Amino acid sequence: MTSAVTMNIVDNIAVIEVDNPPVNALSFAVRSGLQSCVREAEQHQSVEAIVLSCRGKTFIAGADITEFGKPMQPPALPDLLADMDTISKPIVAALHGTALGGGLEVALTCHYRVALASAKVGLPEVLLGLLPGAGGTQRLPRIAGVELALDMITSGRKVSSTEAAKAGLVDKVVDGDLLDNAIAFAKQVVADGQPLKRISDMTATVSDPAVFDEYRAKLAKTRRGFDAPQYCVDVVQAAVECDFAEGCKKERELFLKLMTGTQSQAQRHLFFAERQAGHVVGLDKATPTREVNSVAIIGAGTMGSGIAINFLNKGMQVTLLEMSLEALERGIEHIYAYYDGQVNKGRITQDQADASKALLSGTDAYAELDSVDLVIEAVFENMGVKKDVFTKLDKYCKPGAILASNTSTLNIDTIASFTSRPEDVIGLHFFSPANIMRLLEVVRGEKTADDVMATAMKLAKDINKIGVVSGVCDGFIGNRMLKGYGREAGALLLDGVAPVRIDKALYDFGMAMGPLTMGDLAGLDVGYRVRKERRERGDDVPVTDGAIADRLVEAGRLGQKAGKGYYHYEAGSRTPIPDPEVDEIIQQAMAALNRTAKDISDEEIVKRLIYPLINEAALILDEGIAQRPSDIDVVYIYGYGFPVYRGGPMFYADTVGLKNIVADMEDFKSRYGDDWEIAPLLKQLAEQGRKFADLAK
Ligand code: 3HC
Ligand code: NAI
């Protein structure tokens, strides 16, 4: 017996308790402790029933993910559970918190489950690129039905104990003391002489076997490119078609296949990357945070209104400040329309919508912001306008209020210099649509105070965002990396590669959309204006930069909003349709630059777009703009639609091999010129045979 698992016998009931903080994961100590306690309880003559419960905030939340990829010390979980399945005394699992993955599989091997009303259960393995590997795919359909099992196993969705009880997955939902209730339940089972409810003895049936193919077809769309969801369907189908032992064999086989594959490695990497992102280098975990109960947002345009919704959804007071009452009215209407839409779609009730709306107020007077805890500025992207706003904020806001800017390109230190309190100034760079996108770049200025940083990171979590720390530079982490990506998309067009081929290659790589479709969505006029201003300022902008995009804009093709950009769009549709007029514009641009079409493979298209991301990321790491490579992965997954199963650009680079990337880039440099200058850090790591992951801190 280990201290991670203990057993007490009270009134002929053996109470086995797991105590393995923070989430009672099934580490070696827990597995071996459980095995010996259960065996001891089986042999102990006075024991009539067993209750399995957990200390701390949750029931077992799954296998210990940190042990994955290493040799497994016996007992492996499936062996432990096979052993538990032979126990002749009733076992009751007492569920609180989240019984997830291997934790739910343990509970399903027990004969009964008693749960607190607040408890949730789920099999989230698919989110780690896996399938439940300890009988979960065989037991869940047998006890809860094929439909719910397919839903839970392919989505990883957690269900409440009430929903679980309706499906028979939980035997009793209780309030009050869980352990007392579970012991009482166990005593009743003994008193009633109830036969053991062993799920492995049950059968799983399905009314319409077509459900499996329907799921496969649906998942091919919604989880495009992912292996695990399809395998999940295969194993649930096996629960219907095979006996329990045969089904478990198939489950094991596919589980191991996924576990050793790159996709699961990538998804497990992201699980830890996401949590690691919250750790700010050089910031003590005990750094105090400032209280934030009220927020003001300056500028209620596209971003400002989206940002406001995040805080309203969390029940916080939000004040919008606009430069005119008309603009204010527009912003408020936009937010109201969002809540009305949510009600119409049945996502929230009218009361919830009304409560959120009641938290919103508006003003055009800075003096009314004298008591807010946090201000987020989202006005036009112009330093003069930002100066005006921050000067006023400095004048009217209370001491200690956090003053944030949502700027996407401007220097936070310069913005901070407009105030007498640069330590209170920070960048909070939301992504559009700001109420949906989960990424939040938290930009740490030269003088940003530690407690402001700590508050911003906590706030990100509170509003369900993933905060990633960025230093100050043009474009921060994400947009700065995009520059080379956009440059190469333009260069490929000038090499005569059709827009649809470029986009399809990237879509097939797994990106949410290709670069040109993305350009059409964002609007081609934005980049056009930037290039025009830079040329007017006398900056050295290569003639190839925007050579095609500028012609498109000048022909009125501003992107989706104009119904035409790199593609044509039917009224009301977002589907890009190739357009001969664009081919003509491309031909003209190529002729003007004396370019002829090249024969370029899809593989080269992907490399020419993805490798500049990796190269710029290496510069970003070298300059200390990003704290660690995995933060960059988080930025690209949550902000830019990079395929999850490739783990983000840094993880992907490591899987390709930095040596191979450098060799290809050298080849591109010899063929396409100095844009392909290799970042010193990338070169150095490749020469040393190292990976980006080796730089982790
Ligand atoms: N193994 C190892 N460590 C884990 C873990 C696990 N299964 N689950 C969480 N942790 C760690 C986290 O890395 C984090 O560590 P840190 O503090 O050093 O960053 C710490 O526990 C706390 O985690 P969270 O910050 O996520 O805490 P929350 O309270 O927000 O959430 C949770 C708790 C809902 C349990 C969430 O951690 C979670 O979803 N965990 C993963 C659950 C999971 O995927 N289980 C399935 C595992 S695969 C499996 O069981 C295979 C089996 O079928 C054979
Ligand atoms: P927008 O043009 O939709 O909204 C700006 C709003 O600010 C307008 O409603 C305008 O009336 C108001 N405004 C302008 N000057 C003001 C002032 N002095 N006082 C009060 N209100 C004022 O612009 P958008 O897209 O919302 O961008 C706002 C900021 O967010 C910019 O800094 C931009 O770079 C940044 N950003 C934009 C993203 C996007 O995808 N649109 C993404 C991330 C950041």
Tab-separated table of all heavy atoms in Angstrom, residues 633-687:
chain	number	residue	atom	x	y	z
A	633	ASP	N	3.448	28.026	-30.123
A	633	ASP	CA	2.482	27.020	-30.594
A	633	ASP	C	1.074	27.383	-30.145
A	633	ASP	O	0.126	27.292	-30.924
A	633	ASP	CB	2.871	25.634	-30.052
A	633	ASP	CG	4.096	25.072	-30.759
A	633	ASP	OD1	4.341	25.473	-31.909
A	633	ASP	OD2	4.813	24.247	-30.164
A	634	VAL	N	0.950	27.808	-28.898
A	634	VAL	CA	-0.374	28.158	-28.370
A	634	VAL	C	-0.953	29.338	-29.167
A	634	VAL	O	-2.123	29.336	-29.551
A	634	VAL	CB	-0.291	28.488	-26.857
A	634	VAL	CG1	-1.614	29.020	-26.336
A	634	VAL	CG2	0.117	27.238	-26.063
A	635	VAL	N	-0.111	30.329	-29.460
A	635	VAL	CA	-0.562	31.495	-30.241
A	635	VAL	C	-1.117	31.035	-31.593
A	635	VAL	O	-2.209	31.449	-32.009
A	635	VAL	CB	0.606	32.492	-30.452
A	635	VAL	CG1	0.266	33.523	-31.529
A	635	VAL	CG2	0.943	33.197	-29.141
A	636	TYR	N	-0.391	30.153	-32.261
A	636	TYR	CA	-0.811	29.768	-33.611
A	636	TYR	C	-2.020	28.836	-33.630
A	636	TYR	O	-2.820	28.867	-34.560
A	636	TYR	CB	0.381	29.251	-34.447
A	636	TYR	CG	0.810	30.413	-35.298
A	636	TYR	CD1	1.457	31.497	-34.715
A	636	TYR	CD2	0.405	30.525	-36.617
A	636	TYR	CE1	1.725	32.638	-35.441
A	636	TYR	CE2	0.670	31.655	-37.355
A	636	TYR	CZ	1.326	32.710	-36.765
A	636	TYR	OH	1.547	33.842	-37.484
A	637	ILE	N	-2.132	28.024	-32.596
A	637	ILE	CA	-3.300	27.126	-32.526
A	637	ILE	C	-4.559	27.943	-32.221
A	637	ILE	O	-5.585	27.785	-32.874
A	637	ILE	CB	-3.095	26.050	-31.419
A	637	ILE	CG1	-1.926	25.121	-31.760
A	637	ILE	CG2	-4.393	25.275	-31.153
A	637	ILE	CD1	-2.124	24.219	-32.927
A	638	TYR	N	-4.472	28.832	-31.231
A	638	TYR	CA	-5.683	29.524	-30.779
A	638	TYR	C	-5.972	30.826	-31.522
A	638	TYR	O	-7.080	31.339	-31.432
A	638	TYR	CB	-5.624	29.770	-29.263
A	638	TYR	CG	-5.840	28.492	-28.500
A	638	TYR	CD1	-4.782	27.821	-27.905
A	638	TYR	CD2	-7.106	27.928	-28.427
A	638	TYR	CE1	-4.981	26.618	-27.241
A	638	TYR	CE2	-7.319	26.731	-27.771
A	638	TYR	CZ	-6.259	26.088	-27.178
A	638	TYR	OH	-6.462	24.898	-26.537
A	639	GLY	N	-4.987	31.359	-32.224
A	639	GLY	CA	-5.218	32.634	-32.899
A	639	GLY	C	-5.232	32.544	-34.413
A	639	GLY	O	-5.755	33.428	-35.083
A	640	TYR	N	-4.629	31.480	-34.977
A	640	TYR	CA	-4.414	31.488	-36.427
A	640	TYR	C	-4.861	30.214	-37.147
A	640	TYR	O	-4.517	30.011	-38.316
A	640	TYR	CB	-2.930	31.773	-36.723
A	640	TYR	CG	-2.512	33.156	-36.260
A	640	TYR	CD1	-2.110	33.370	-34.956
A	640	TYR	CD2	-2.600	34.247	-37.115
A	640	TYR	CE1	-1.778	34.641	-34.501
A	640	TYR	CE2	-2.272	35.518	-36.678
A	640	TYR	CZ	-1.859	35.715	-35.374
A	640	TYR	OH	-1.539	36.970	-34.942
A	641	GLY	N	-5.569	29.327	-36.436
A	641	GLY	CA	-6.115	28.139	-37.107
A	641	GLY	C	-5.072	27.145	-37.567
A	641	GLY	O	-5.293	26.397	-38.524
A	642	PHE	N	-3.903	27.128	-36.899
A	642	PHE	CA	-2.891	26.122	-37.231
A	642	PHE	C	-3.436	24.753	-36.795
A	642	PHE	O	-4.082	24.647	-35.750
A	642	PHE	CB	-1.592	26.432	-36.471
A	642	PHE	CG	-0.359	25.774	-37.060
A	642	PHE	CD1	0.384	26.404	-38.040
A	642	PHE	CD2	0.053	24.513	-36.621
A	642	PHE	CE1	1.522	25.804	-38.583
A	642	PHE	CE2	1.178	23.909	-37.154
A	642	PHE	CZ	1.918	24.555	-38.132
A	643	PRO	N	-3.192	23.686	-37.593
A	643	PRO	CA	-3.804	22.398	-37.226
A	643	PRO	C	-3.352	21.874	-35.867
A	643	PRO	O	-2.155	21.700	-35.632
A	643	PRO	CB	-3.368	21.448	-38.350
A	643	PRO	CG	-2.321	22.160	-39.128
A	643	PRO	CD	-2.459	23.625	-38.879
A	644	VAL	N	-4.314	21.614	-35.014
A	644	VAL	CA	-4.048	21.151	-33.645
A	644	VAL	C	-3.195	19.880	-33.663
A	644	VAL	O	-2.253	19.724	-32.884
A	644	VAL	CB	-5.395	20.891	-32.928
A	644	VAL	CG1	-5.208	20.147	-31.626
A	644	VAL	CG2	-6.121	22.203	-32.697
A	645	TYR	N	-3.530	18.974	-34.600
A	645	TYR	CA	-2.829	17.683	-34.599
A	645	TYR	C	-1.385	17.799	-35.087
A	645	TYR	O	-0.661	16.822	-35.115
A	645	TYR	CB	-3.607	16.632	-35.412
A	645	TYR	CG	-3.897	17.046	-36.837
A	645	TYR	CD1	-2.947	16.929	-37.841
A	645	TYR	CD2	-5.144	17.560	-37.171
A	645	TYR	CE1	-3.219	17.311	-39.133
A	645	TYR	CE2	-5.431	17.953	-38.464
A	645	TYR	CZ	-4.463	17.823	-39.440
A	645	TYR	OH	-4.740	18.211	-40.726
A	646	ARG	N	-0.968	18.996	-35.476
A	646	ARG	CA	0.458	19.196	-35.796
A	646	ARG	C	1.169	19.918	-34.657
A	646	ARG	O	2.364	20.187	-34.721
A	646	ARG	CB	0.621	19.964	-37.103
A	646	ARG	CG	0.091	19.183	-38.307
A	646	ARG	CD	0.586	19.790	-39.594
A	646	ARG	NE	-0.100	19.250	-40.753
A	646	ARG	CZ	0.260	18.142	-41.395
A	646	ARG	NH1	1.301	17.458	-40.993
A	646	ARG	NH2	-0.417	17.725	-42.448
A	647	GLY	N	0.409	20.297	-33.621
A	647	GLY	CA	1.020	20.785	-32.375
A	647	GLY	C	1.520	22.220	-32.402
A	647	GLY	O	2.143	22.651	-31.440
A	648	GLY	N	1.286	22.966	-33.490
A	648	GLY	CA	1.799	24.345	-33.578
A	648	GLY	C	3.099	24.359	-34.380
A	648	GLY	O	3.739	23.314	-34.571
A	649	PRO	N	3.501	25.540	-34.868
A	649	PRO	CA	4.665	25.612	-35.770
A	649	PRO	C	5.982	25.115	-35.164
A	649	PRO	O	6.803	24.525	-35.873
A	649	PRO	CB	4.759	27.092	-36.146
A	649	PRO	CG	3.774	27.811	-35.326
A	649	PRO	CD	2.814	26.836	-34.730
A	650	MET	N	6.188	25.332	-33.879
A	650	MET	CA	7.453	24.912	-33.254
A	650	MET	C	7.511	23.393	-33.107
A	650	MET	O	8.510	22.755	-33.408
A	650	MET	CB	7.630	25.561	-31.876
A	650	MET	CG	7.552	27.056	-31.875
A	650	MET	SD	9.063	27.815	-32.516
A	650	MET	CE	8.739	27.851	-34.237
A	651	PHE	N	6.401	22.827	-32.633
A	651	PHE	CA	6.344	21.371	-32.473
A	651	PHE	C	6.451	20.717	-33.852
A	651	PHE	O	7.157	19.737	-34.040
A	651	PHE	CB	5.033	20.956	-31.788
A	651	PHE	CG	4.955	19.485	-31.524
A	651	PHE	CD1	5.461	18.947	-30.350
A	651	PHE	CD2	4.391	18.622	-32.457
A	651	PHE	CE1	5.409	17.576	-30.113
A	651	PHE	CE2	4.334	17.250	-32.232
A	651	PHE	CZ	4.842	16.739	-31.054
A	652	TYR	N	5.769	21.314	-34.829
A	652	TYR	CA	5.813	20.776	-36.189
A	652	TYR	C	7.253	20.807	-36.721
A	652	TYR	O	7.734	19.828	-37.300
A	652	TYR	CB	4.875	21.579	-37.097
A	652	TYR	CG	4.960	21.186	-38.549
A	652	TYR	CD1	4.510	19.940	-38.960
A	652	TYR	CD2	5.524	22.041	-39.491
A	652	TYR	CE1	4.608	19.553	-40.292
A	652	TYR	CE2	5.622	21.669	-40.824
A	652	TYR	CZ	5.164	20.423	-41.216
A	652	TYR	OH	5.275	20.029	-42.528
A	653	ALA	N	7.929	21.921	-36.477
A	653	ALA	CA	9.324	22.038	-36.946
A	653	ALA	C	10.174	20.915	-36.346
A	653	ALA	O	10.985	20.290	-37.043
A	653	ALA	CB	9.891	23.401	-36.555
A	654	ASP	N	9.967	20.651	-35.084
A	654	ASP	CA	10.727	19.577	-34.440
A	654	ASP	C	10.417	18.214	-35.056
A	654	ASP	O	11.298	17.360	-35.151
A	654	ASP	CB	10.437	19.537	-32.928
A	654	ASP	CG	11.170	20.647	-32.169
A	654	ASP	OD1	12.074	21.284	-32.750
A	654	ASP	OD2	10.843	20.877	-30.984
A	655	THR	N	9.159	18.018	-35.475
A	655	THR	CA	8.828	16.711	-36.070
A	655	THR	C	9.413	16.586	-37.476
A	655	THR	O	9.775	15.499	-37.902
A	655	THR	CB	7.296	16.459	-36.146
A	655	THR	OG1	6.709	17.464	-36.960
A	655	THR	CG2	6.656	16.457	-34.784
A	656	VAL	N	9.520	17.710	-38.193
A	656	VAL	CA	10.122	17.664	-39.539
A	656	VAL	C	11.642	17.481	-39.400
A	656	VAL	O	12.291	16.803	-40.202
A	656	VAL	CB	9.821	18.965	-40.324
A	656	VAL	CG1	10.554	19.007	-41.662
A	656	VAL	CG2	8.327	19.105	-40.552
A	657	GLY	N	12.202	18.068	-38.351
A	657	GLY	CA	13.663	18.030	-38.154
A	657	GLY	C	14.251	19.362	-38.597
A	657	GLY	O	14.082	19.766	-39.760
A	658	LEU	N	14.926	20.059	-37.680
A	658	LEU	CA	15.415	21.408	-38.008
A	658	LEU	C	16.472	21.357	-39.105
A	658	LEU	O	16.576	22.281	-39.924
A	658	LEU	CB	15.939	22.099	-36.743
A	658	LEU	CG	14.914	22.223	-35.592
A	658	LEU	CD1	15.449	23.120	-34.479
A	658	LEU	CD2	13.559	22.734	-36.086
A	659	LYS	N	17.229	20.269	-39.139
A	659	LYS	CA	18.240	20.122	-40.209
A	659	LYS	C	17.566	20.107	-41.582
A	659	LYS	O	18.050	20.746	-42.530
A	659	LYS	CB	18.970	18.784	-40.021
A	659	LYS	CG	20.338	18.938	-39.420
A	659	LYS	CD	21.112	17.656	-39.478
A	659	LYS	CE	22.316	17.895	-38.611
A	659	LYS	NZ	22.678	16.804	-37.757
A	660	ASN	N	16.478	19.365	-41.684
A	660	ASN	CA	15.769	19.276	-42.974
A	660	ASN	C	15.205	20.635	-43.368
A	660	ASN	O	15.229	21.012	-44.541
A	660	ASN	CB	14.614	18.270	-42.880
A	660	ASN	CG	15.124	16.880	-42.581
A	660	ASN	OD1	16.231	16.524	-42.982
A	660	ASN	ND2	14.352	16.106	-41.854
A	661	ILE	N	14.710	21.357	-42.365
A	661	ILE	CA	14.127	22.676	-42.671
A	661	ILE	C	15.220	23.616	-43.168
A	661	ILE	O	15.050	24.316	-44.175
A	661	ILE	CB	13.410	23.237	-41.417
A	661	ILE	CG1	12.184	22.375	-41.133
A	661	ILE	CG2	13.027	24.703	-41.601
A	661	ILE	CD1	11.404	22.752	-39.892
A	662	VAL	N	16.349	23.616	-42.468
A	662	VAL	CA	17.447	24.511	-42.865
A	662	VAL	C	17.931	24.150	-44.272
A	662	VAL	O	18.186	25.037	-45.106
A	662	VAL	CB	18.583	24.460	-41.818
A	662	VAL	CG1	19.856	25.096	-42.361
A	662	VAL	CG2	18.134	25.171	-40.532
A	663	ALA	N	18.018	22.858	-44.565
A	663	ALA	CA	18.481	22.448	-45.907
A	663	ALA	C	17.524	22.975	-46.971
A	663	ALA	O	17.955	23.537	-47.995
A	663	ALA	CB	18.584	20.926	-45.971
A	664	ASP	N	16.228	22.847	-46.732
A	664	ASP	CA	15.245	23.357	-47.705
A	664	ASP	C	15.332	24.872	-47.829
A	664	ASP	O	15.231	25.432	-48.921
A	664	ASP	CB	13.818	22.984	-47.263
A	664	ASP	CG	13.460	21.560	-47.646
A	664	ASP	OD1	14.003	21.060	-48.642
A	664	ASP	OD2	12.643	20.948	-46.929
A	665	MET	N	15.536	25.544	-46.697
A	665	MET	CA	15.602	27.005	-46.746
A	665	MET	C	16.843	27.474	-47.500
A	665	MET	O	16.810	28.494	-48.195
A	665	MET	CB	15.568	27.584	-45.327
A	665	MET	CG	14.180	27.469	-44.693
A	665	MET	SD	14.096	28.141	-43.036
A	665	MET	CE	14.365	29.866	-43.337
A	666	GLU	N	17.926	26.725	-47.351
A	666	GLU	CA	19.130	27.097	-48.113
A	666	GLU	C	18.873	26.966	-49.612
A	666	GLU	O	19.294	27.802	-50.415
A	666	GLU	CB	20.325	26.243	-47.668
A	666	GLU	CG	20.995	26.860	-46.436
A	666	GLU	CD	21.916	25.931	-45.691
A	666	GLU	OE1	21.979	24.732	-46.035
A	666	GLU	OE2	22.561	26.417	-44.734
A	667	ASP	N	18.147	25.913	-49.952
A	667	ASP	CA	17.784	25.706	-51.354
A	667	ASP	C	16.894	26.868	-51.840
A	667	ASP	O	17.129	27.437	-52.912
A	667	ASP	CB	17.065	24.356	-51.467
A	667	ASP	CG	16.491	24.127	-52.836
A	667	ASP	OD1	17.187	24.436	-53.823
A	667	ASP	OD2	15.329	23.651	-52.934
A	668	PHE	N	15.920	27.259	-51.019
A	668	PHE	CA	15.035	28.371	-51.406
A	668	PHE	C	15.838	29.663	-51.529
A	668	PHE	O	15.589	30.478	-52.408
A	668	PHE	CB	13.905	28.562	-50.380
A	668	PHE	CG	12.907	27.429	-50.344
A	668	PHE	CD1	12.181	27.160	-49.187
A	668	PHE	CD2	12.682	26.640	-51.458
A	668	PHE	CE1	11.253	26.125	-49.146
A	668	PHE	CE2	11.752	25.581	-51.427
A	668	PHE	CZ	11.053	25.332	-50.258
A	669	LYS	N	16.832	29.821	-50.649
A	669	LYS	CA	17.630	31.052	-50.696
A	669	LYS	C	18.386	31.110	-52.028
A	669	LYS	O	18.453	32.172	-52.676
A	669	LYS	CB	18.603	31.088	-49.517
A	669	LYS	CG	19.315	32.417	-49.407
A	669	LYS	CD	20.149	32.528	-48.169
A	669	LYS	CE	20.842	33.884	-48.190
A	669	LYS	NZ	21.922	33.986	-47.263
A	670	SER	N	18.921	29.961	-52.438
A	670	SER	CA	19.681	29.976	-53.693
A	670	SER	C	18.741	30.223	-54.873
A	670	SER	O	19.124	30.819	-55.868
A	670	SER	CB	20.446	28.662	-53.862
A	670	SER	OG	19.524	27.622	-54.102
A	671	ARG	N	17.483	29.803	-54.757
A	671	ARG	CA	16.558	29.974	-55.889
A	671	ARG	C	15.768	31.278	-55.832
A	671	ARG	O	15.470	31.870	-56.849
A	671	ARG	CB	15.564	28.802	-55.909
A	671	ARG	CG	16.220	27.506	-56.355
A	671	ARG	CD	15.184	26.513	-56.801
A	671	ARG	NE	14.643	25.767	-55.675
A	671	ARG	CZ	13.396	25.326	-55.615
A	671	ARG	NH1	12.549	25.609	-56.587
A	671	ARG	NH2	12.977	24.624	-54.592
A	672	TYR	N	15.447	31.720	-54.593
A	672	TYR	CA	14.515	32.861	-54.491
A	672	TYR	C	15.095	34.103	-53.809
A	672	TYR	O	14.403	35.100	-53.653
A	672	TYR	CB	13.230	32.429	-53.771
A	672	TYR	CG	12.545	31.243	-54.406
A	672	TYR	CD1	12.328	30.068	-53.688
A	672	TYR	CD2	12.137	31.286	-55.733
A	672	TYR	CE1	11.705	28.972	-54.280
A	672	TYR	CE2	11.514	30.194	-56.325
A	672	TYR	CZ	11.304	29.036	-55.596
A	672	TYR	OH	10.696	27.965	-56.186
A	673	GLY	N	16.323	34.012	-53.309
A	673	GLY	CA	16.967	35.235	-52.817
A	673	GLY	C	16.955	35.422	-51.313
A	673	GLY	O	16.615	34.527	-50.536
A	674	ASP	N	17.317	36.665	-50.931
A	674	ASP	CA	17.655	36.960	-49.539
A	674	ASP	C	16.490	36.952	-48.552
A	674	ASP	O	16.702	36.993	-47.351
A	674	ASP	CB	18.368	38.313	-49.456
A	674	ASP	CG	19.760	38.200	-50.039
A	674	ASP	OD1	20.245	37.049	-50.158
A	674	ASP	OD2	20.348	39.243	-50.379
A	675	ASP	N	15.251	36.913	-49.075
A	675	ASP	CA	14.127	36.796	-48.144
A	675	ASP	C	14.281	35.532	-47.307
A	675	ASP	O	13.659	35.396	-46.261
A	675	ASP	CB	12.798	36.710	-48.918
A	675	ASP	CG	12.320	38.077	-49.372
A	675	ASP	OD1	12.794	39.070	-48.799
A	675	ASP	OD2	11.496	38.141	-50.298
A	676	TRP	N	15.088	34.617	-47.796
A	676	TRP	CA	15.223	33.317	-47.136
A	676	TRP	C	16.422	33.259	-46.194
A	676	TRP	O	16.962	32.187	-45.922
A	676	TRP	CB	15.269	32.196	-48.179
A	676	TRP	CG	13.907	31.969	-48.731
A	676	TRP	CD1	13.382	32.515	-49.849
A	676	TRP	CD2	12.862	31.208	-48.128
A	676	TRP	NE1	12.073	32.133	-50.007
A	676	TRP	CE2	11.726	31.320	-48.955
A	676	TRP	CE3	12.753	30.436	-46.974
A	676	TRP	CZ2	10.518	30.699	-48.666
A	676	TRP	CZ3	11.558	29.806	-46.687
A	676	TRP	CH2	10.461	29.942	-47.524
A	677	GLU	N	16.826	34.414	-45.683
A	677	GLU	CA	17.907	34.468	-44.675
A	677	GLU	C	17.505	33.604	-43.466
A	677	GLU	O	16.406	33.769	-42.929
A	677	GLU	CB	18.076	35.929	-44.250
A	677	GLU	CG	19.371	36.264	-43.561
A	677	GLU	CD	20.598	35.891	-44.396
A	677	GLU	OE1	20.705	36.355	-45.552
A	677	GLU	OE2	21.409	35.112	-43.871
A	678	ILE	N	18.380	32.716	-43.078
A	678	ILE	CA	18.001	31.788	-41.993
A	678	ILE	C	18.320	32.408	-40.630
A	678	ILE	O	19.419	32.926	-40.412
A	678	ILE	CB	18.723	30.439	-42.162
A	678	ILE	CG1	18.343	29.842	-43.519
A	678	ILE	CG2	18.376	29.472	-41.029
A	678	ILE	CD1	19.157	28.659	-43.947
A	679	ALA	N	17.369	32.328	-39.707
A	679	ALA	CA	17.554	32.906	-38.362
A	679	ALA	C	18.716	32.191	-37.660
A	679	ALA	O	18.803	30.955	-37.720
A	679	ALA	CB	16.275	32.747	-37.547
A	680	PRO	N	19.597	32.961	-37.002
A	680	PRO	CA	20.773	32.337	-36.372
A	680	PRO	C	20.407	31.208	-35.398
A	680	PRO	O	21.059	30.167	-35.379
A	680	PRO	CB	21.443	33.505	-35.624
A	680	PRO	CG	20.937	34.743	-36.299
A	680	PRO	CD	19.602	34.417	-36.870
A	681	LEU	N	19.340	31.397	-34.625
A	681	LEU	CA	18.975	30.365	-33.639
A	681	LEU	C	18.557	29.065	-34.333
A	681	LEU	O	18.929	27.964	-33.904
A	681	LEU	CB	17.830	30.867	-32.747
A	681	LEU	CG	17.315	29.860	-31.724
A	681	LEU	CD1	18.377	29.535	-30.673
A	681	LEU	CD2	16.056	30.383	-31.025
A	682	LEU	N	17.822	29.199	-35.429
A	682	LEU	CA	17.374	28.012	-36.166
A	682	LEU	C	18.586	27.264	-36.719
A	682	LEU	O	18.701	26.038	-36.601
A	682	LEU	CB	16.425	28.447	-37.290
A	682	LEU	CG	15.915	27.378	-38.247
A	682	LEU	CD1	15.235	26.243	-37.496
A	682	LEU	CD2	14.934	27.978	-39.257
A	683	LYS	N	19.495	28.038	-37.280
A	683	LYS	CA	20.703	27.454	-37.869
A	683	LYS	C	21.514	26.725	-36.797
A	683	LYS	O	21.939	25.582	-36.958
A	683	LYS	CB	21.540	28.583	-38.464
A	683	LYS	CG	22.350	28.178	-39.659
A	683	LYS	CD	22.969	29.418	-40.245
A	683	LYS	CE	23.424	29.123	-41.657
A	683	LYS	NZ	23.717	30.315	-42.379
A	684	GLN	N	21.665	27.423	-35.677
A	684	GLN	CA	22.477	26.878	-34.582
A	684	GLN	C	21.869	25.579	-34.028
A	684	GLN	O	22.576	24.581	-33.847
A	684	GLN	CB	22.535	27.944	-33.487
A	684	GLN	CG	23.437	27.632	-32.331
A	684	GLN	CD	23.126	28.605	-31.182
A	684	GLN	OE1	22.648	29.730	-31.400
A	684	GLN	NE2	23.374	28.185	-29.971
A	685	LEU	N	20.578	25.580	-33.802
A	685	LEU	CA	19.925	24.366	-33.277
A	685	LEU	C	20.091	23.215	-34.271
A	685	LEU	O	20.366	22.074	-33.879
A	685	LEU	CB	18.440	24.618	-33.006
A	685	LEU	CG	18.100	25.522	-31.814
A	685	LEU	CD1	16.605	25.839	-31.789
A	685	LEU	CD2	18.500	24.877	-30.491
A	686	ALA	N	19.915	23.539	-35.569
A	686	ALA	CA	20.031	22.495	-36.596
A	686	ALA	C	21.448	21.916	-36.588
A	686	ALA	O	21.639	20.698	-36.638
A	686	ALA	CB	19.685	23.072	-37.962
A	687	GLU	N	22.430	22.799	-36.506
A	687	GLU	CA	23.829	22.324	-36.511
A	687	GLU	C	24.123	21.449	-35.295
A	687	GLU	O	24.879	20.493	-35.363
A	687	GLU	CB	24.783	23.525	-36.508
A	687	GLU	CG	24.979	24.101	-37.906
A	687	GLU	CD	25.601	25.509	-37.875
A	687	GLU	OE1	26.024	25.975	-36.789
A	687	GLU	OE2	25.622	26.128	-38.943
